Amino acid sequence: MVELPGGAFRMGDAFGEGYHADREGPVREVTVAPFAIDATAVTNARYAAFVAATGHRTDAERFGSSYVFHLLLHPAARRHVQGRVAQAPWWLGVSGASWRAPEGPGSDLDGRADHPVVHISHNDALAYCAWAGLRLPTEAEWEYAARGGLDGARYPWGDDFTPDGREMCNTWLGRFPHRSDRPGGRTGTLPVTAYEPNGFGLHNTSGNVWEWTADPYGPGEYVIRGGSYLCHASYCNRYRVAARSHNTPDSSTGHGGFRCARDPRTPAPEGRTAP
């Protein structure tokens, strides 16, 4: 985890580029206390260790289904499709989809131990945190950490999305949601350290997967941050560091994960080692 000193920072959308309904503004000065936060999202390997130790069953596993992006559906899972989301038909309800089978029955985690775990609900994230002795970051902590020390920038690295033509995060390339222009039409998660870290040493606070926070968005929902591999300027410009969205605590998707936080270590008495 990365230990951060906290302090005052400007939180919110300084460019007026957010969605009105998301309530990204106005920009306001917020102060956070010192805390620590994961340098990366929780990986499949870390989550597997938690499940092995506790026997935890995710909400997706208990409910028997989760949501998979249509271009990622495993061929063997086609007969398990239960339907499409009316407002977003690229999302398929798939029986048997879960963190163990991210693209539905027939898929697995082979070669993805270092990818972010997905199909994780807010409830599942809290269960992991309780086991690990950690917590979810508040929304203010998340944005403070994601900014990496930059004041009011659009992204964790600055204002230019592709500085000098360099790709800085895992978002959609192509015509969303029908065609990916990545090599081989690839889409989906990448390893949690796939791109350069921000100024605080955090990876992928833009793109890859949405991340749960501890804060409620409104009745029965919690704030998610960071955007995902499906974000695109034509549809979901939420890979900006001020962007926010929300979901219900038992919801899970193929682009939803989390990272953990904790309070600072208590200094140990002289001659003793802090826990």
Side-chain angles (χ1 to χ4, degrees), residues 175-190:
R175 186 168 63 89
F176 184 83
H178 303 295
R179 188 194 72 237
S180 170
D181 287 345
R182 293 188 180 277
R186 177 190 62 77
T187 187
T189 61
L190 290 176

Side-chain angles (χ1 to χ4, degrees), residues 26-94:
V27 175
R28 62 278 188 198
E29 184 173 286
V30 174
T31 300
V32 295
F35 68 104
I37 191 167
D38 281 338
T40 72
V42 173
T43 62
N44 285 312
R46 287 171 62 187
Y47 206 78
F50 156 64
V51 171
T54 64
H56 178 79
R57 295 183 70 225
T58 61
D59 279 335
E61 290 170 303
R62 292 191 306 104
F63 297 150
S65 67
S66 190
Y67 290 95
V68 176
F69 182 64
H70 71 127
L71 295 184
L72 288 175
L73 184 69
H74 192 278
R78 289 172 184 160
R79 62 189 180 90
H80 297 278
V81 174
Q82 299 173 327
R84 296 175 180 265
V85 176
Q87 299 85 357
W90 48 88
W91 280 115
L92 308 177
V94 180

Side-chain angles (χ1 to χ4, degrees), residues 140-178:
E141 288 174 335
W142 192 98
E143 185 169 327
Y144 168 85
R147 290 188 174 279
L150 297 182
D151 179 29
R154 281 189 178 92
Y155 311 112
W157 55 86
D159 291 336
D160 186 353
F161 187 56
T162 53
D164 300 320
R166 290 180 296 137
E167 183 179 85
M168 303 296 289
C169 65
N170 181 21
T171 56
W172 186 267
L173 293 181
R175 186 168 63 89
F176 184 83
H178 303 295

